[in-house]
Amino acid sequence: MSFRITLFITICITWMHCKNDTSSTQMADTVHSADVAEATFKKNCSSCHGDDGNVFVDRKWKHGNAKDSIIQSISNGYLALGMPAWGSVLKADEINNLSDYLLGAIENRKKFDFTDSVKSNIFQHASMTVKLDTIAKGLSNPWGMAFLPNGDFLYNDRNGNMYRQSKGVQNLIKGVPQTRVEGQGGLLDVELHPNFATNSLIYFTYAKSKDSLSTTALMCAKLVGNTLTNQKDIYVAEPWKTTRIHYGSRIAFDKDGYLFLSSSDRFQHMDTLPQKLDNDLGKVHRMNDDGSAPKDNPFVNTPGARATIWSYGHRNIQGLFYDAATGILWANEHGPRGGDELNIIQKGKNYGWPVISYGINYDGKIMTPYTSKEGMEQPLIKWVPSIAPSGMTIVTGDKYPAWKGDILLGSLRFKYLDRVHLTGDVPGDQEPLLKNVGRLRFVKMGPDGYIYVGVEDPGFIFRLVPSEPLAQ
């Protein structure tokens, strides 16, 4: 090899090393600037806006969210609105880095602004393609669904109507109790007794009314044809409240026939009811099929405690699923803004609300300065921004091989079905499915091996059928 060729190769290698070193340095500088900016936000902004910029930016911007506008807001403030000027406190490069940090958080938020328009009933995803078959339409807010042994569907509309659908014919169920259909109240979840084939018993939750007050109630009834008989409230949450939101509620039976029920905080977090054991609010309850408390419940011998409490410190559980294969009880719940969670519900555990939370109030104010505390559980997933998770299931069978063993849950806010990959009991990557399908209230695995979802306003129930991808 000639001296000139050797020299040329040496120069090229040296240049490549220098270029790589420069790129690595620039990348390290970028990461360092982001870390410094995040630290600046936590030090100077967290007392008013929380310590997570990703939560803070999930808002309507009064003065614009372009970089120049953000820099001006930070530098000059808006004193009349309570925003001080930081131009004399922070250096120009600190304000610049802080604005870049917020812009990055804004871009992260935009990934949920799905631009996909629903053009057909076929949805293509990276994992697999599915076709939506319409099972029911003309509903308002389909909230819960169960599958009868003979192939009929049983489902609740939050407007107070329960239906039995047989061979495509929708039949209104008689004997449903008077329900307070107001705010988030109405006719909610429904499940069959594990021995329905022999006893015909169903369980459903609804908003029960008394004068100006209401509460979450669980009724057991016998389904005879299209009529409910032997109706009995086996659980009525105490105390009753004047609020019309945060009723919960989801029902799940385990393999031993115990019934789990979520009861939400009724938006009464200021008096810390979810942390107290002398009431039913903000809890997961475990009971026998007649509503009585099993003798091995964690607080059954605690003076003053409600005997059916299984776990506490919850805000608004909207998804509850018992995995018979693993014995795990999964739950998702609505936090405040930026505080939605996925949890495994365990006996006697405290899930923290309202003492700890990763979210802030809807008006942007701090609800609690704590995100962790000894003796309180941490979520497996915290959604930022809040997706408003709803009904959930785990995919079983062989019809959806790419999704088998994964969690599916609805997003009310962003109108999609969220797939959470599971490795054992550890959640991993997420994939948005059925983008812009509608406010997705429930998702269920049917005994036929198909996935069923319910969407709201207008209300439909769809069956997901694996399909071939559309031709390009």
Side-chain angles (χ1 to χ4, degrees), residues 211-244:
D211 299 325
S212 63
L213 303 174
S214 63
T215 193
T216 302
L218 171 66
M219 177 171 280
C220 175
K222 189 172 185 179
L223 179 64
V224 180
N226 299 325
T227 302
L228 298 183
T229 65
N230 299 3
Q231 302 97 321
K232 182 182 179 182
D233 286 329
I234 63 170
Y235 164 91
V236 179
E238 295 286 348
W240 297 53
K241 292 292 180 179
T242 57
T243 53
R244 302 289 185 256

PDB file of all heavy atoms in Angstrom, residues 211-244:
ATOM      1  N   ASP A 211     -83.730  11.539  47.708  1.00  0.00           N
ATOM      2  CA  ASP A 211     -83.860  13.002  47.764  1.00  0.00           C
ATOM      3  C   ASP A 211     -82.756  13.635  46.926  1.00  0.00           C
ATOM      4  O   ASP A 211     -82.612  13.300  45.758  1.00  0.00           O
ATOM      5  CB  ASP A 211     -83.835  13.485  49.215  1.00  0.00           C
ATOM      6  CG  ASP A 211     -84.971  12.907  50.044  1.00  0.00           C
ATOM      7  OD1 ASP A 211     -86.070  12.735  49.472  1.00  0.00           O
ATOM      8  OD2 ASP A 211     -84.767  12.603  51.232  1.00  0.00           O
ATOM      9  N   SER A 212     -81.941  14.513  47.508  1.00  0.00           N
ATOM     10  CA  SER A 212     -80.874  15.165  46.749  1.00  0.00           C
ATOM     11  C   SER A 212     -79.579  14.362  46.776  1.00  0.00           C
ATOM     12  O   SER A 212     -78.578  14.764  46.175  1.00  0.00           O
ATOM     13  CB  SER A 212     -80.600  16.557  47.326  1.00  0.00           C
ATOM     14  OG  SER A 212     -80.131  16.471  48.661  1.00  0.00           O
ATOM     15  N   LEU A 213     -79.588  13.219  47.441  1.00  0.00           N
ATOM     16  CA  LEU A 213     -78.385  12.415  47.605  1.00  0.00           C
ATOM     17  C   LEU A 213     -78.369  11.230  46.643  1.00  0.00           C
ATOM     18  O   LEU A 213     -79.413  10.817  46.131  1.00  0.00           O
ATOM     19  CB  LEU A 213     -78.287  11.898  49.043  1.00  0.00           C
ATOM     20  CG  LEU A 213     -78.289  12.938  50.157  1.00  0.00           C
ATOM     21  CD1 LEU A 213     -78.328  12.261  51.518  1.00  0.00           C
ATOM     22  CD2 LEU A 213     -77.065  13.847  50.044  1.00  0.00           C
ATOM     23  N   SER A 214     -77.180  10.687  46.409  1.00  0.00           N
ATOM     24  CA  SER A 214     -77.065   9.480  45.595  1.00  0.00           C
ATOM     25  C   SER A 214     -75.829   8.711  46.029  1.00  0.00           C
ATOM     26  O   SER A 214     -74.951   9.236  46.714  1.00  0.00           O
ATOM     27  CB  SER A 214     -76.977   9.825  44.101  1.00  0.00           C
ATOM     28  OG  SER A 214     -75.815  10.581  43.818  1.00  0.00           O
ATOM     29  N   THR A 215     -75.780   7.454  45.609  1.00  0.00           N
ATOM     30  CA  THR A 215     -74.643   6.608  45.952  1.00  0.00           C
ATOM     31  C   THR A 215     -74.552   5.461  44.960  1.00  0.00           C
ATOM     32  O   THR A 215     -75.443   5.257  44.123  1.00  0.00           O
ATOM     33  CB  THR A 215     -74.761   6.073  47.387  1.00  0.00           C
ATOM     34  OG1 THR A 215     -73.504   5.523  47.785  1.00  0.00           O
ATOM     35  CG2 THR A 215     -75.848   5.019  47.505  1.00  0.00           C
ATOM     36  N   THR A 216     -73.467   4.693  45.062  1.00  0.00           N
ATOM     37  CA  THR A 216     -73.285   3.504  44.228  1.00  0.00           C
ATOM     38  C   THR A 216     -73.920   2.306  44.913  1.00  0.00           C
ATOM     39  O   THR A 216     -73.665   2.047  46.090  1.00  0.00           O
ATOM     40  CB  THR A 216     -71.786   3.234  44.000  1.00  0.00           C
ATOM     41  OG1 THR A 216     -71.185   4.368  43.383  1.00  0.00           O
ATOM     42  CG2 THR A 216     -71.598   2.015  43.111  1.00  0.00           C
ATOM     43  N   ALA A 217     -74.752   1.567  44.186  1.00  0.00           N
ATOM     44  CA  ALA A 217     -75.395   0.378  44.727  1.00  0.00           C
ATOM     45  C   ALA A 217     -75.116  -0.813  43.822  1.00  0.00           C
ATOM     46  O   ALA A 217     -74.965  -0.669  42.603  1.00  0.00           O
ATOM     47  CB  ALA A 217     -76.902   0.589  44.867  1.00  0.00           C
ATOM     48  N   LEU A 218     -75.044  -1.996  44.450  1.00  0.00           N
ATOM     49  CA  LEU A 218     -74.877  -3.254  43.733  1.00  0.00           C
ATOM     50  C   LEU A 218     -76.126  -4.093  43.961  1.00  0.00           C
ATOM     51  O   LEU A 218     -76.481  -4.395  45.101  1.00  0.00           O
ATOM     52  CB  LEU A 218     -73.646  -3.998  44.243  1.00  0.00           C
ATOM     53  CG  LEU A 218     -73.448  -5.436  43.746  1.00  0.00           C
ATOM     54  CD1 LEU A 218     -73.167  -5.459  42.244  1.00  0.00           C
ATOM     55  CD2 LEU A 218     -72.306  -6.113  44.508  1.00  0.00           C
ATOM     56  N   MET A 219     -76.800  -4.434  42.882  1.00  0.00           N
ATOM     57  CA  MET A 219     -78.023  -5.234  42.979  1.00  0.00           C
ATOM     58  C   MET A 219     -77.783  -6.639  42.441  1.00  0.00           C
ATOM     59  O   MET A 219     -77.079  -6.825  41.444  1.00  0.00           O
ATOM     60  CB  MET A 219     -79.168  -4.579  42.210  1.00  0.00           C
ATOM     61  CG  MET A 219     -80.464  -5.395  42.213  1.00  0.00           C
ATOM     62  SD  MET A 219     -81.904  -4.514  41.536  1.00  0.00           S
ATOM     63  CE  MET A 219     -82.383  -3.508  42.949  1.00  0.00           C
ATOM     64  N   CYS A 220     -78.390  -7.612  43.106  1.00  0.00           N
ATOM     65  CA  CYS A 220     -78.436  -8.992  42.618  1.00  0.00           C
ATOM     66  C   CYS A 220     -79.883  -9.281  42.225  1.00  0.00           C
ATOM     67  O   CYS A 220     -80.815  -8.918  42.953  1.00  0.00           O
ATOM     68  CB  CYS A 220     -77.966  -9.948  43.694  1.00  0.00           C
ATOM     69  SG  CYS A 220     -78.116 -11.694  43.242  1.00  0.00           S
ATOM     70  N   ALA A 221     -80.089  -9.904  41.085  1.00  0.00           N
ATOM     71  CA  ALA A 221     -81.443 -10.219  40.626  1.00  0.00           C
ATOM     72  C   ALA A 221     -81.406 -11.489  39.798  1.00  0.00           C
ATOM     73  O   ALA A 221     -80.354 -11.907  39.287  1.00  0.00           O
ATOM     74  CB  ALA A 221     -82.021  -9.063  39.808  1.00  0.00           C
ATOM     75  N   LYS A 222     -82.563 -12.085  39.659  1.00  0.00           N
ATOM     76  CA  LYS A 222     -82.699 -13.277  38.827  1.00  0.00           C
ATOM     77  C   LYS A 222     -83.239 -12.870  37.468  1.00  0.00           C
ATOM     78  O   LYS A 222     -84.225 -12.127  37.372  1.00  0.00           O
ATOM     79  CB  LYS A 222     -83.639 -14.284  39.496  1.00  0.00           C
ATOM     80  CG  LYS A 222     -83.681 -15.637  38.807  1.00  0.00           C
ATOM     81  CD  LYS A 222     -84.485 -16.640  39.635  1.00  0.00           C
ATOM     82  CE  LYS A 222     -84.426 -18.037  39.007  1.00  0.00           C
ATOM     83  NZ  LYS A 222     -85.172 -19.023  39.817  1.00  0.00           N
ATOM     84  N   LEU A 223     -82.582 -13.320  36.417  1.00  0.00           N
ATOM     85  CA  LEU A 223     -83.013 -13.007  35.058  1.00  0.00           C
ATOM     86  C   LEU A 223     -83.881 -14.149  34.531  1.00  0.00           C
ATOM     87  O   LEU A 223     -83.407 -15.267  34.330  1.00  0.00           O
ATOM     88  CB  LEU A 223     -81.791 -12.799  34.148  1.00  0.00           C
ATOM     89  CG  LEU A 223     -82.084 -12.495  32.682  1.00  0.00           C
ATOM     90  CD1 LEU A 223     -82.822 -11.161  32.531  1.00  0.00           C
ATOM     91  CD2 LEU A 223     -80.788 -12.478  31.866  1.00  0.00           C
ATOM     92  N   VAL A 224     -85.156 -13.826  34.343  1.00  0.00           N
ATOM     93  CA  VAL A 224     -86.116 -14.803  33.817  1.00  0.00           C
ATOM     94  C   VAL A 224     -86.616 -14.283  32.474  1.00  0.00           C
ATOM     95  O   VAL A 224     -87.409 -13.327  32.423  1.00  0.00           O
ATOM     96  CB  VAL A 224     -87.297 -15.022  34.779  1.00  0.00           C
ATOM     97  CG1 VAL A 224     -88.269 -16.040  34.207  1.00  0.00           C
ATOM     98  CG2 VAL A 224     -86.790 -15.460  36.150  1.00  0.00           C
ATOM     99  N   GLY A 225     -86.132 -14.866  31.396  1.00  0.00           N
ATOM    100  CA  GLY A 225     -86.479 -14.330  30.080  1.00  0.00           C
ATOM    101  C   GLY A 225     -85.941 -12.927  29.933  1.00  0.00           C
ATOM    102  O   GLY A 225     -84.736 -12.699  30.009  1.00  0.00           O
ATOM    103  N   ASN A 226     -86.852 -11.963  29.767  1.00  0.00           N
ATOM    104  CA  ASN A 226     -86.466 -10.557  29.654  1.00  0.00           C
ATOM    105  C   ASN A 226     -86.916  -9.739  30.858  1.00  0.00           C
ATOM    106  O   ASN A 226     -87.156  -8.538  30.764  1.00  0.00           O
ATOM    107  CB  ASN A 226     -87.061  -9.953  28.374  1.00  0.00           C
ATOM    108  CG  ASN A 226     -86.554 -10.652  27.124  1.00  0.00           C
ATOM    109  OD1 ASN A 226     -85.399 -11.071  27.073  1.00  0.00           O
ATOM    110  ND2 ASN A 226     -87.410 -10.783  26.123  1.00  0.00           N
ATOM    111  N   THR A 227     -87.027 -10.410  32.009  1.00  0.00           N
ATOM    112  CA  THR A 227     -87.516  -9.746  33.218  1.00  0.00           C
ATOM    113  C   THR A 227     -86.611 -10.073  34.404  1.00  0.00           C
ATOM    114  O   THR A 227     -86.143 -11.209  34.550  1.00  0.00           O
ATOM    115  CB  THR A 227     -88.949 -10.209  33.538  1.00  0.00           C
ATOM    116  OG1 THR A 227     -89.795  -9.922  32.427  1.00  0.00           O
ATOM    117  CG2 THR A 227     -89.477  -9.501  34.773  1.00  0.00           C
ATOM    118  N   LEU A 228     -86.373  -9.052  35.247  1.00  0.00           N
ATOM    119  CA  LEU A 228     -85.639  -9.254  36.492  1.00  0.00           C
ATOM    120  C   LEU A 228     -86.627  -9.540  37.615  1.00  0.00           C
ATOM    121  O   LEU A 228     -87.642  -8.858  37.755  1.00  0.00           O
ATOM    122  CB  LEU A 228     -84.818  -8.012  36.854  1.00  0.00           C
ATOM    123  CG  LEU A 228     -83.716  -7.574  35.876  1.00  0.00           C
ATOM    124  CD1 LEU A 228     -82.967  -6.377  36.436  1.00  0.00           C
ATOM    125  CD2 LEU A 228     -82.751  -8.717  35.584  1.00  0.00           C
ATOM    126  N   THR A 229     -86.310 -10.544  38.419  1.00  0.00           N
ATOM    127  CA  THR A 229     -87.115 -10.848  39.596  1.00  0.00           C
ATOM    128  C   THR A 229     -86.191 -10.980  40.803  1.00  0.00           C
ATOM    129  O   THR A 229     -84.970 -11.041  40.662  1.00  0.00           O
ATOM    130  CB  THR A 229     -87.906 -12.162  39.410  1.00  0.00           C
ATOM    131  OG1 THR A 229     -86.973 -13.247  39.317  1.00  0.00           O
ATOM    132  CG2 THR A 229     -88.756 -12.118  38.149  1.00  0.00           C
ATOM    133  N   ASN A 230     -86.786 -11.033  41.993  1.00  0.00           N
ATOM    134  CA  ASN A 230     -86.016 -11.211  43.236  1.00  0.00           C
ATOM    135  C   ASN A 230     -84.900 -10.166  43.369  1.00  0.00           C
ATOM    136  O   ASN A 230     -83.796 -10.485  43.818  1.00  0.00           O
ATOM    137  CB  ASN A 230     -85.412 -12.613  43.314  1.00  0.00           C
ATOM    138  CG  ASN A 230     -86.458 -13.714  43.307  1.00  0.00           C
ATOM    139  OD1 ASN A 230     -87.652 -13.449  43.189  1.00  0.00           O
ATOM    140  ND2 ASN A 230     -86.030 -14.938  43.427  1.00  0.00           N
ATOM    141  N   GLN A 231     -85.202  -8.927  42.983  1.00  0.00           N
ATOM    142  CA  GLN A 231     -84.197  -7.868  43.027  1.00  0.00           C
ATOM    143  C   GLN A 231     -83.844  -7.528  44.473  1.00  0.00           C
ATOM    144  O   GLN A 231     -84.729  -7.363  45.309  1.00  0.00           O
ATOM    145  CB  GLN A 231     -84.694  -6.608  42.323  1.00  0.00           C
ATOM    146  CG  GLN A 231     -85.087  -6.797  40.868  1.00  0.00           C
ATOM    147  CD  GLN A 231     -86.570  -7.006  40.678  1.00  0.00           C
ATOM    148  OE1 GLN A 231     -87.193  -7.696  41.503  1.00  0.00           O
ATOM    149  NE2 GLN A 231     -87.145  -6.431  39.625  1.00  0.00           N
ATOM    150  N   LYS A 232     -82.547  -7.400  44.735  1.00  0.00           N
ATOM    151  CA  LYS A 232     -82.101  -7.046  46.075  1.00  0.00           C
ATOM    152  C   LYS A 232     -80.773  -6.303  46.019  1.00  0.00           C
ATOM    153  O   LYS A 232     -79.820  -6.785  45.406  1.00  0.00           O
ATOM    154  CB  LYS A 232     -81.943  -8.305  46.946  1.00  0.00           C
ATOM    155  CG  LYS A 232     -81.516  -8.008  48.380  1.00  0.00           C
ATOM    156  CD  LYS A 232     -81.341  -9.283  49.180  1.00  0.00           C
ATOM    157  CE  LYS A 232     -80.891  -8.973  50.606  1.00  0.00           C
ATOM    158  NZ  LYS A 232     -80.677 -10.221  51.398  1.00  0.00           N
ATOM    159  N   ASP A 233     -80.730  -5.130  46.663  1.00  0.00           N
ATOM    160  CA  ASP A 233     -79.454  -4.429  46.814  1.00  0.00           C
ATOM    161  C   ASP A 233     -78.632  -5.163  47.863  1.00  0.00           C
ATOM    162  O   ASP A 233     -79.023  -5.238  49.032  1.00  0.00           O
ATOM    163  CB  ASP A 233     -79.677  -2.978  47.267  1.00  0.00           C
ATOM    164  CG  ASP A 233     -80.197  -2.088  46.168  1.00  0.00           C
ATOM    165  OD1 ASP A 233     -79.872  -2.335  44.993  1.00  0.00           O
ATOM    166  OD2 ASP A 233     -80.939  -1.130  46.474  1.00  0.00           O
ATOM    167  N   ILE A 234     -77.486  -5.696  47.467  1.00  0.00           N
ATOM    168  CA  ILE A 234     -76.640  -6.401  48.434  1.00  0.00           C
ATOM    169  C   ILE A 234     -75.478  -5.533  48.908  1.00  0.00           C
ATOM    170  O   ILE A 234     -74.729  -5.931  49.806  1.00  0.00           O
ATOM    171  CB  ILE A 234     -76.113  -7.725  47.855  1.00  0.00           C
ATOM    172  CG1 ILE A 234     -75.211  -7.472  46.642  1.00  0.00           C
ATOM    173  CG2 ILE A 234     -77.270  -8.636  47.483  1.00  0.00           C
ATOM    174  CD1 ILE A 234     -74.469  -8.726  46.181  1.00  0.00           C
ATOM    175  N   TYR A 235     -75.341  -4.349  48.305  1.00  0.00           N
ATOM    176  CA  TYR A 235     -74.316  -3.393  48.736  1.00  0.00           C
ATOM    177  C   TYR A 235     -74.807  -1.998  48.372  1.00  0.00           C
ATOM    178  O   TYR A 235     -75.224  -1.758  47.237  1.00  0.00           O
ATOM    179  CB  TYR A 235     -72.979  -3.683  48.035  1.00  0.00           C
ATOM    180  CG  TYR A 235     -71.970  -2.561  48.105  1.00  0.00           C
ATOM    181  CD1 TYR A 235     -71.039  -2.492  49.133  1.00  0.00           C
ATOM    182  CD2 TYR A 235     -71.951  -1.566  47.133  1.00  0.00           C
ATOM    183  CE1 TYR A 235     -70.114  -1.462  49.194  1.00  0.00           C
ATOM    184  CE2 TYR A 235     -71.027  -0.537  47.169  1.00  0.00           C
ATOM    185  CZ  TYR A 235     -70.112  -0.493  48.205  1.00  0.00           C
ATOM    186  OH  TYR A 235     -69.210   0.532  48.257  1.00  0.00           O
ATOM    187  N   VAL A 236     -74.757  -1.103  49.339  1.00  0.00           N
ATOM    188  CA  VAL A 236     -75.085   0.308  49.114  1.00  0.00           C
ATOM    189  C   VAL A 236     -73.994   1.125  49.786  1.00  0.00           C
ATOM    190  O   VAL A 236     -73.816   1.052  51.000  1.00  0.00           O
ATOM    191  CB  VAL A 236     -76.467   0.673  49.698  1.00  0.00           C
ATOM    192  CG1 VAL A 236     -76.754   2.158  49.472  1.00  0.00           C
ATOM    193  CG2 VAL A 236     -77.565  -0.176  49.067  1.00  0.00           C
ATOM    194  N   ALA A 237     -73.235   1.878  49.002  1.00  0.00           N
ATOM    195  CA  ALA A 237     -72.070   2.594  49.520  1.00  0.00           C
ATOM    196  C   ALA A 237     -72.477   3.688  50.491  1.00  0.00           C
ATOM    197  O   ALA A 237     -73.413   4.451  50.237  1.00  0.00           O
ATOM    198  CB  ALA A 237     -71.269   3.188  48.369  1.00  0.00           C
ATOM    199  N   GLU A 238     -71.757   3.766  51.577  1.00  0.00           N
ATOM    200  CA  GLU A 238     -71.922   4.819  52.571  1.00  0.00           C
ATOM    201  C   GLU A 238     -70.633   5.636  52.667  1.00  0.00           C
ATOM    202  O   GLU A 238     -69.544   5.094  52.594  1.00  0.00           O
ATOM    203  CB  GLU A 238     -72.238   4.213  53.950  1.00  0.00           C
ATOM    204  CG  GLU A 238     -73.570   3.481  54.040  1.00  0.00           C
ATOM    205  CD  GLU A 238     -74.765   4.412  54.073  1.00  0.00           C
ATOM    206  OE1 GLU A 238     -74.549   5.637  54.261  1.00  0.00           O
ATOM    207  OE2 GLU A 238     -75.893   3.929  53.915  1.00  0.00           O
ATOM    208  N   PRO A 239     -70.737   6.961  52.814  1.00  0.00           N
ATOM    209  CA  PRO A 239     -71.958   7.754  52.927  1.00  0.00           C
ATOM    210  C   PRO A 239     -72.507   8.171  51.562  1.00  0.00           C
ATOM    211  O   PRO A 239     -71.796   8.159  50.567  1.00  0.00           O
ATOM    212  CB  PRO A 239     -71.470   8.979  53.696  1.00  0.00           C
ATOM    213  CG  PRO A 239     -70.049   9.154  53.256  1.00  0.00           C
ATOM    214  CD  PRO A 239     -69.510   7.773  53.075  1.00  0.00           C
ATOM    215  N   TRP A 240     -73.776   8.546  51.546  1.00  0.00           N
ATOM    216  CA  TRP A 240     -74.391   9.113  50.357  1.00  0.00           C
ATOM    217  C   TRP A 240     -73.890  10.540  50.183  1.00  0.00           C
ATOM    218  O   TRP A 240     -73.541  11.208  51.159  1.00  0.00           O
ATOM    219  CB  TRP A 240     -75.910   9.112  50.494  1.00  0.00           C
ATOM    220  CG  TRP A 240     -76.549   7.770  50.609  1.00  0.00           C
ATOM    221  CD1 TRP A 240     -76.225   6.780  51.504  1.00  0.00           C
ATOM    222  CD2 TRP A 240     -77.623   7.265  49.818  1.00  0.00           C
ATOM    223  NE1 TRP A 240     -77.032   5.688  51.325  1.00  0.00           N
ATOM    224  CE2 TRP A 240     -77.913   5.950  50.297  1.00  0.00           C
ATOM    225  CE3 TRP A 240     -78.384   7.780  48.780  1.00  0.00           C
ATOM    226  CZ2 TRP A 240     -78.911   5.173  49.744  1.00  0.00           C
ATOM    227  CZ3 TRP A 240     -79.397   6.991  48.235  1.00  0.00           C
ATOM    228  CH2 TRP A 240     -79.655   5.706  48.702  1.00  0.00           C
ATOM    229  N   LYS A 241     -73.868  11.023  48.919  1.00  0.00           N
ATOM    230  CA  LYS A 241     -73.338  12.366  48.644  1.00  0.00           C
ATOM    231  C   LYS A 241     -74.221  13.121  47.654  1.00  0.00           C
ATOM    232  O   LYS A 241     -75.013  12.521  46.919  1.00  0.00           O
ATOM    233  CB  LYS A 241     -71.906  12.262  48.095  1.00  0.00           C
ATOM    234  CG  LYS A 241     -70.878  11.758  49.110  1.00  0.00           C
ATOM    235  CD  LYS A 241     -70.657  12.782  50.208  1.00  0.00           C
ATOM    236  CE  LYS A 241     -69.655  12.323  51.239  1.00  0.00           C
ATOM    237  NZ  LYS A 241     -69.428  13.329  52.294  1.00  0.00           N
ATOM    238  N   THR A 242     -74.039  14.436  47.631  1.00  0.00           N
ATOM    239  CA  THR A 242     -74.797  15.276  46.695  1.00  0.00           C
ATOM    240  C   THR A 242     -74.119  15.353  45.330  1.00  0.00           C
ATOM    241  O   THR A 242     -74.744  15.787  44.354  1.00  0.00           O
ATOM    242  CB  THR A 242     -74.959  16.704  47.247  1.00  0.00           C
ATOM    243  OG1 THR A 242     -73.655  17.256  47.507  1.00  0.00           O
ATOM    244  CG2 THR A 242     -75.779  16.709  48.522  1.00  0.00           C
ATOM    245  N   THR A 243     -72.848  14.969  45.253  1.00  0.00           N
ATOM    246  CA  THR A 243     -72.139  15.015  43.971  1.00  0.00           C
ATOM    247  C   THR A 243     -72.722  13.985  43.013  1.00  0.00           C
ATOM    248  O   THR A 243     -73.328  12.994  43.429  1.00  0.00           O
ATOM    249  CB  THR A 243     -70.641  14.744  44.166  1.00  0.00           C
ATOM    250  OG1 THR A 243     -70.473  13.520  44.892  1.00  0.00           O
ATOM    251  CG2 THR A 243     -69.977  15.870  44.931  1.00  0.00           C
ATOM    252  N   ARG A 244     -72.539  14.214  41.719  1.00  0.00           N
ATOM    253  CA  ARG A 244     -73.101  13.348  40.688  1.00  0.00           C
ATOM    254  C   ARG A 244     -72.009  12.675  39.847  1.00  0.00           C
ATOM    255  O   ARG A 244     -72.250  12.260  38.720  1.00  0.00           O
ATOM    256  CB  ARG A 244     -74.033  14.155  39.782  1.00  0.00           C
ATOM    257  CG  ARG A 244     -75.176  14.833  40.532  1.00  0.00           C
ATOM    258  CD  ARG A 244     -76.196  13.811  41.030  1.00  0.00           C
ATOM    259  NE  ARG A 244     -77.341  14.451  41.644  1.00  0.00           N
ATOM    260  CZ  ARG A 244     -77.557  14.526  42.956  1.00  0.00           C
ATOM    261  NH1 ARG A 244     -76.692  13.984  43.810  1.00  0.00           N
ATOM    262  NH2 ARG A 244     -78.632  15.129  43.430  1.00  0.00           N
TER     263      ARG A 244
END
